[in-house]
Amino acid sequence: MAEFNTMRAAAGTRTAAIDEGLRAHMNKVYGTMSVGMLITFAAAWALSGLAVSDVPTGYQIGTDKYLTDLGVALYASPLKWVIMFAPLAFVFGFSAMINRMSAATAQTVFYAFAAVMGLSISSIFLVFAGQSIVQVFLVTAIAFAGLSLYGYVTKKDLSGMGSFLIMGVIGLIVASIINIFVASSALQFAITIIGVLIFAGLTAYDTQNIKNTY
């Protein structure tokens, strides 16, 4: 009986240690993601500020809003295509080399990706008001938190969704590229709805995968 109690106590201690380690691991993951989001926001906000001026130029984008030389280079020249697809190139390159990177290198590359993503989406600050951006951010953050929590606590195995979701992302990218030239509002609406569903599934799937990998 004493031996059984000792074994049970040891198992309980080990379980507690695993739970504590998992919490620390998840905190580190979400802490790194939060820093990345701050970098993305800072890069987008700073670049959009440098790209717009109230001094009249040949590129007016609103009432008393004009593109500077930097703005013209970023948003009105062929460079815009490089900026648009740079995050995608980062994703594919990062995925191919991640297993050969040290943790420090991977973290540095992730922060570089966050900055490039900020550059890629900086144009939203030229089109939408700050209040609208904040509202969308809050809604997105709440949805992400809910889906991530579901992926963390659910007992359902989501591993089978991985391949399907990745195929969906690839299809979404192809459709988005096609729609650049087709400019179909119906296709854009479909891409938006499908994209929300796909990335909702990926959020839950990736959270569970991070937990199971630990």
Side-chain angles (χ1 to χ4, degrees):
M1 184 67 178
E3 183 178 353
F4 173 77
N5 289 334
T6 300
M7 292 175 60
R8 186 171 61 178
T13 301
R14 182 173 181 273
T15 299
I18 291 175
D19 290 342
E20 182 179 354
L22 178 59
R23 284 194 295 271
H25 176 68
M26 298 302 288
N27 287 338
K28 183 176 181 180
V29 168
Y30 285 105
T32 301
M33 288 176 59
S34 297
V35 173
M37 288 182 63
L38 290 175
I39 292 174
T40 297
F41 169 78
W45 177 77
L47 285 169
S48 64
L50 294 173
V52 177
S53 171
D54 56 1
V55 178
T57 66
Y59 290 87
Q60 185 173 5
I61 59 173
T63 304
D64 296 328
K65 291 176 67 175
Y66 303 86
L67 289 181
T68 62
D69 290 340
L70 176 62
V72 172
L74 292 176
Y75 310 121
S77 75
L79 181 60
K80 67 182 180 181
W81 299 108
V82 177
I83 294 171
M84 183 183 299
F85 292 109
L88 187 61
F90 251 95
V91 169
F92 285 118
F94 197 28
S95 299
M97 296 185 297
I98 185 64
N99 292 326
R100 299 193 295 272
M101 292 182 182
S102 65
T105 300
Q107 189 173 42
T108 300
V109 174
F110 170 72
Y111 289 149
F113 165 76
V116 171
M117 178 59 74
L119 172 62
S120 179
I121 66 173
S122 60
S123 60
I124 66 173
F125 285 87
L126 309 183
V127 180
F128 299 100
Q131 182 180 359
S132 298
I133 295 173
V134 170
Q135 288 175 343
V136 170
F137 172 78
L138 290 176
V139 171
T140 303
I142 293 170
F144 174 84
L147 290 163
S148 187
L149 180 62
Y150 170 76
Y152 185 83
V153 302
T154 184
K155 300 301 181 181
K156 182 179 180 180
D157 184 9
L158 304 178
S159 59
M161 297 171 55
S163 299
F164 174 77
L165 291 170
I166 294 300
M167 290 174 59
V169 170
I170 294 173
L172 203 64
I173 293 170
V174 172
S176 298
I177 293 174
I178 292 173
N179 202 43
I180 290 175
F181 304 100
V182 176
S184 168
S185 58
L187 180 57
Q188 180 61 45
F189 180 75
I191 290 172
T192 302
I193 298 300
I194 295 172
V196 168
L197 295 175
I198 288 175
F199 283 100
L202 278 172
T203 299
Y205 164 79
D206 283 333
T207 301
Q208 187 180 80
N209 191 41
I210 292 170
K211 178 183 176 182
N212 290 340
T213 299
Y214 176 83

